[in-house]
Tab-separated table of all heavy atoms in Angstrom:
chain	number	residue	atom	x	y	z
G	311	CYS	N	-48.796	76.039	-21.778
G	311	CYS	CA	-49.381	76.069	-23.126
G	311	CYS	C	-50.648	75.199	-23.206
G	311	CYS	O	-51.578	75.340	-24.017
G	311	CYS	CB	-48.398	75.763	-24.221
G	311	CYS	SG	-47.476	74.262	-23.938
G	312	ALA	N	-50.699	74.084	-22.304
G	312	ALA	CA	-51.774	73.119	-22.373
G	312	ALA	C	-53.165	73.919	-22.205
G	312	ALA	O	-54.054	73.728	-23.005
G	312	ALA	CB	-51.699	72.112	-21.344
G	314	ALA	N	-53.910	76.797	-22.782
G	314	ALA	CA	-54.140	77.748	-23.867
G	314	ALA	C	-54.949	77.171	-25.047
G	314	ALA	O	-55.563	77.712	-25.906
G	314	ALA	CB	-52.875	78.351	-24.421
G	315	CYS	N	-54.739	75.827	-25.194
G	315	CYS	CA	-55.166	75.148	-26.405
G	315	CYS	C	-56.544	74.555	-26.212
G	315	CYS	O	-56.885	73.939	-25.349
G	315	CYS	CB	-54.283	73.959	-26.772
G	315	CYS	SG	-54.680	73.087	-28.241
G	316	HIS	N	-57.437	75.026	-27.171
G	316	HIS	CA	-58.909	74.651	-27.056
G	316	HIS	C	-59.016	73.154	-27.106
G	316	HIS	O	-59.995	72.545	-26.501
G	316	HIS	CB	-59.678	75.226	-28.234
G	316	HIS	CG	-59.020	75.223	-29.447
G	316	HIS	ND1	-57.972	76.028	-29.786
G	316	HIS	CD2	-59.244	74.377	-30.690
G	316	HIS	CE1	-57.601	75.816	-31.099
G	316	HIS	NE2	-58.308	74.826	-31.611
G	317	TYR	N	-58.166	72.388	-27.832
G	317	TYR	CA	-58.320	70.949	-27.894
G	317	TYR	C	-57.964	70.327	-26.486
G	317	TYR	O	-58.646	69.370	-26.094
G	317	TYR	CB	-57.411	70.338	-28.899
G	317	TYR	CG	-57.881	70.752	-30.409
G	317	TYR	CD1	-57.047	71.524	-31.130
G	317	TYR	CD2	-59.110	70.453	-30.793
G	317	TYR	CE1	-57.494	71.976	-32.425
G	317	TYR	CE2	-59.545	70.789	-31.978
G	317	TYR	CZ	-58.812	71.574	-32.803
G	317	TYR	OH	-59.163	71.988	-34.059
G	318	TYR	N	-56.869	70.852	-25.862
G	318	TYR	CA	-56.641	70.325	-24.519
G	318	TYR	C	-57.844	70.712	-23.478
G	318	TYR	O	-58.293	69.886	-22.819
G	318	TYR	CB	-55.317	70.866	-23.976
G	318	TYR	CG	-55.037	70.412	-22.622
G	318	TYR	CD1	-54.693	69.146	-22.247
G	318	TYR	CD2	-55.509	71.354	-21.430
G	318	TYR	CE1	-54.423	68.674	-20.981
G	318	TYR	CE2	-55.292	70.930	-20.205
G	318	TYR	CZ	-54.894	69.569	-19.864
G	318	TYR	OH	-54.586	69.126	-18.676
G	326	TYR	N	-52.788	66.555	-26.218
G	326	TYR	CA	-52.978	67.719	-27.072
G	326	TYR	C	-52.259	68.895	-26.411
G	326	TYR	O	-52.536	70.066	-26.940
G	326	TYR	CB	-54.585	67.962	-27.009
G	326	TYR	CG	-55.349	66.930	-27.812
G	326	TYR	CD1	-56.468	66.422	-27.255
G	326	TYR	CD2	-54.886	66.464	-28.987
G	326	TYR	CE1	-57.171	65.482	-27.871
G	326	TYR	CE2	-55.660	65.529	-29.660
G	326	TYR	CZ	-56.850	64.938	-29.189
G	326	TYR	OH	-57.557	63.992	-29.778
G	327	THR	N	-51.412	68.651	-25.475
G	327	THR	CA	-50.493	69.745	-24.996
G	327	THR	C	-49.689	70.384	-26.310
G	327	THR	O	-49.051	69.535	-26.966
G	327	THR	CB	-49.590	69.281	-23.958
G	327	THR	OG1	-50.388	68.680	-22.899
G	327	THR	CG2	-48.672	70.348	-23.429
G	328	PRO	N	-49.781	71.599	-26.524
G	328	PRO	CA	-49.178	72.152	-27.719
G	328	PRO	C	-47.743	71.755	-27.930
G	328	PRO	O	-47.391	71.327	-29.012
G	328	PRO	CB	-49.386	73.706	-27.578
G	328	PRO	CG	-50.676	73.772	-26.715
G	328	PRO	CD	-50.589	72.620	-25.758
G	329	ILE	N	-46.874	71.837	-27.030
G	329	ILE	CA	-45.498	71.720	-27.235
G	329	ILE	C	-45.321	70.128	-27.681
G	329	ILE	O	-44.280	69.923	-28.340
G	329	ILE	CB	-44.591	72.152	-25.921
G	329	ILE	CG1	-43.141	72.033	-26.350
G	329	ILE	CG2	-44.917	71.099	-24.754
G	329	ILE	CD1	-42.713	73.036	-27.413
G	331	LYS	N	-46.909	68.602	-29.713
G	331	LYS	CA	-47.031	68.388	-31.132
G	331	LYS	C	-45.818	68.587	-31.879
G	331	LYS	O	-45.703	68.317	-33.039
G	331	LYS	CB	-48.138	69.383	-31.577
G	331	LYS	CG	-49.531	69.048	-30.912
G	331	LYS	CD	-50.617	70.130	-31.059
G	331	LYS	CE	-51.825	69.767	-30.177
G	331	LYS	NZ	-52.850	70.711	-30.167
G	368	LEU	N	-51.998	64.681	-34.672
G	368	LEU	CA	-51.619	65.878	-33.734
G	368	LEU	C	-51.468	67.130	-34.464
G	368	LEU	O	-51.701	68.232	-33.884
G	368	LEU	CB	-50.354	65.588	-32.839
G	368	LEU	CG	-50.629	64.343	-31.932
G	368	LEU	CD1	-49.282	64.194	-31.112
G	368	LEU	CD2	-51.704	64.692	-30.821
G	372	SER	N	-55.605	68.116	-34.636
G	372	SER	CA	-55.772	68.834	-33.321
G	372	SER	C	-54.855	70.097	-33.191
G	372	SER	O	-54.401	70.340	-32.041
G	372	SER	CB	-55.502	67.788	-32.232
G	372	SER	OG	-54.245	67.169	-32.421
G	373	CYS	N	-54.530	70.652	-34.282
G	373	CYS	CA	-53.969	72.014	-34.198
G	373	CYS	C	-54.462	72.826	-35.421
G	373	CYS	O	-54.379	72.399	-36.442
G	373	CYS	CB	-52.489	71.944	-34.291
G	373	CYS	SG	-51.740	73.731	-34.224
G	374	THR	N	-54.989	73.980	-35.007
G	374	THR	CA	-55.476	74.871	-35.991
G	374	THR	C	-54.557	76.022	-36.358
G	374	THR	O	-54.926	77.011	-36.888
G	374	THR	CB	-56.897	75.451	-35.601
G	374	THR	OG1	-56.794	75.980	-34.327
G	374	THR	CG2	-57.927	74.348	-35.712
G	375	GLU	N	-53.377	75.911	-35.759
G	375	GLU	CA	-52.299	77.064	-35.925
G	375	GLU	C	-52.824	78.382	-35.502
G	375	GLU	O	-52.528	79.374	-36.153
G	375	GLU	CB	-51.721	76.972	-37.431
G	375	GLU	CG	-51.181	75.588	-37.774
G	375	GLU	CD	-50.755	75.631	-39.301
G	375	GLU	OE1	-50.986	76.576	-40.051
G	375	GLU	OE2	-50.241	74.578	-39.706
G	376	CYS	N	-53.667	78.303	-34.415
G	376	CYS	CA	-54.343	79.528	-34.056
G	376	CYS	C	-53.427	80.522	-33.226
G	376	CYS	O	-53.780	81.613	-33.130
G	376	CYS	CB	-55.541	79.080	-33.056
G	376	CYS	SG	-55.081	78.606	-31.446
G	377	GLY	N	-52.358	79.993	-32.721
G	377	GLY	CA	-51.355	80.867	-32.089
G	377	GLY	C	-51.677	81.279	-30.642
G	377	GLY	O	-50.931	82.080	-30.041
G	378	ARG	N	-52.711	80.735	-30.061
G	378	ARG	CA	-53.121	81.082	-28.733
G	378	ARG	C	-52.005	80.578	-27.686
G	378	ARG	O	-51.729	81.249	-26.653
G	378	ARG	CB	-54.472	80.568	-28.330
G	378	ARG	CG	-55.000	81.228	-26.996
G	378	ARG	CD	-56.473	80.920	-26.808
G	378	ARG	NE	-57.021	81.732	-25.691
G	378	ARG	CZ	-56.886	81.287	-24.440
G	378	ARG	NH1	-56.350	80.277	-24.068
G	378	ARG	NH2	-57.411	82.147	-23.516
G	379	CYS	N	-51.407	79.472	-28.027
G	379	CYS	CA	-50.508	78.894	-27.088
G	379	CYS	C	-49.121	79.810	-26.933
G	379	CYS	O	-48.571	79.921	-25.858
G	379	CYS	CB	-50.090	77.465	-27.473
G	379	CYS	SG	-49.736	77.323	-29.162
G	380	SER	N	-48.767	80.394	-28.053
G	380	SER	CA	-47.660	81.311	-28.023
G	380	SER	C	-47.829	82.548	-27.217
G	380	SER	O	-46.839	83.073	-26.618
G	380	SER	CB	-47.227	81.618	-29.435
G	380	SER	OG	-46.980	80.543	-30.276
G	389	ILE	N	-45.161	78.196	-31.564
G	389	ILE	CA	-45.711	76.730	-31.735
G	389	ILE	C	-46.390	76.616	-33.106
G	389	ILE	O	-46.113	75.583	-33.779
G	389	ILE	CB	-46.526	76.273	-30.491
G	389	ILE	CG1	-45.556	76.211	-29.250
G	389	ILE	CG2	-47.152	74.955	-30.787
G	389	ILE	CD1	-46.305	75.990	-27.957
G	390	ALA	N	-47.319	77.481	-33.344
G	390	ALA	CA	-48.156	77.405	-34.636
G	390	ALA	C	-47.220	77.429	-35.823
G	390	ALA	O	-47.400	76.567	-36.757
G	390	ALA	CB	-49.194	78.568	-34.638
G	391	GLU	N	-46.287	78.231	-35.808
G	391	GLU	CA	-45.348	78.375	-36.859
G	391	GLU	C	-44.494	77.036	-37.143
G	391	GLU	O	-44.363	76.447	-38.184
G	391	GLU	CB	-44.337	79.436	-36.538
G	391	GLU	CG	-43.509	79.873	-37.722
G	391	GLU	CD	-42.532	81.032	-37.251
G	391	GLU	OE1	-42.982	81.906	-36.704
G	391	GLU	OE2	-41.340	80.893	-37.532
G	393	VAL	N	-45.706	74.101	-36.068
G	393	VAL	CA	-46.709	73.044	-36.491
G	393	VAL	C	-46.715	73.165	-37.941
G	393	VAL	O	-46.770	72.103	-38.660
G	393	VAL	CB	-48.001	73.260	-35.743
G	393	VAL	CG1	-49.058	72.470	-36.505
G	393	VAL	CG2	-47.897	72.848	-34.326
G	586	CYS	N	-58.964	83.776	-35.503
G	586	CYS	CA	-57.541	83.879	-35.001
G	586	CYS	C	-56.575	84.560	-35.883
G	586	CYS	O	-55.788	85.294	-35.488
G	586	CYS	CB	-57.051	82.396	-34.725
G	586	CYS	SG	-58.080	81.509	-33.538
G	590	ARG	N	-55.772	87.544	-33.563
G	590	ARG	CA	-54.452	87.300	-32.888
G	590	ARG	C	-53.297	87.532	-33.786
G	590	ARG	O	-52.243	88.117	-33.314
G	590	ARG	CB	-54.466	85.954	-32.296
G	590	ARG	CG	-53.393	85.665	-31.237
G	590	ARG	CD	-53.805	84.500	-30.307
G	590	ARG	NE	-54.615	83.471	-30.964
G	590	ARG	CZ	-55.796	83.180	-30.497
G	590	ARG	NH1	-56.361	83.762	-29.562
G	590	ARG	NH2	-56.478	82.189	-31.101
G	620	TYR	N	-60.612	82.090	-27.801
G	620	TYR	CA	-60.413	80.644	-28.214
G	620	TYR	C	-60.769	80.536	-29.661
G	620	TYR	O	-61.752	81.088	-30.099
G	620	TYR	CB	-61.136	79.738	-27.328
G	620	TYR	CG	-60.447	79.353	-26.012
G	620	TYR	CD1	-60.966	79.939	-24.894
G	620	TYR	CD2	-59.365	78.428	-26.024
G	620	TYR	CE1	-60.395	79.678	-23.647
G	620	TYR	CE2	-58.814	78.169	-24.665
G	620	TYR	CZ	-59.244	78.806	-23.477
G	620	TYR	OH	-58.648	78.454	-22.360
G	621	CYS	N	-59.995	79.662	-30.312
G	621	CYS	CA	-60.271	79.340	-31.801
G	621	CYS	C	-61.597	78.659	-31.887
G	621	CYS	O	-62.156	78.014	-31.008
G	621	CYS	CB	-59.188	78.408	-32.185
G	621	CYS	SG	-59.290	77.631	-33.804
T	209	SF4	S1	-51.636	76.858	-32.285
T	209	SF4	FE1	-53.758	76.744	-31.237
T	209	SF4	S2	-54.431	74.757	-31.909
T	209	SF4	FE2	-52.283	74.750	-32.250
T	209	SF4	S3	-51.393	73.927	-30.354
T	209	SF4	FE3	-51.426	76.135	-30.072
T	209	SF4	S4	-53.343	76.558	-29.118
T	209	SF4	FE4	-53.506	74.461	-29.783
Side-chain angles (χ1 to χ4, degrees):
C311 49
C315 182
H316 44 284
Y317 293 117
Y318 174 82
Y326 297 129
T327 302
I329 193 63
K331 297 169 189 176
L368 292 181
S372 55
C373 179
T374 49
E375 300 177 0
C376 76
R378 193 170 189 274
C379 47
S380 300
I389 293 173
E391 192 179 309
V393 165
C586 302
R590 196 158 29 246
Y620 278 102
C621 175

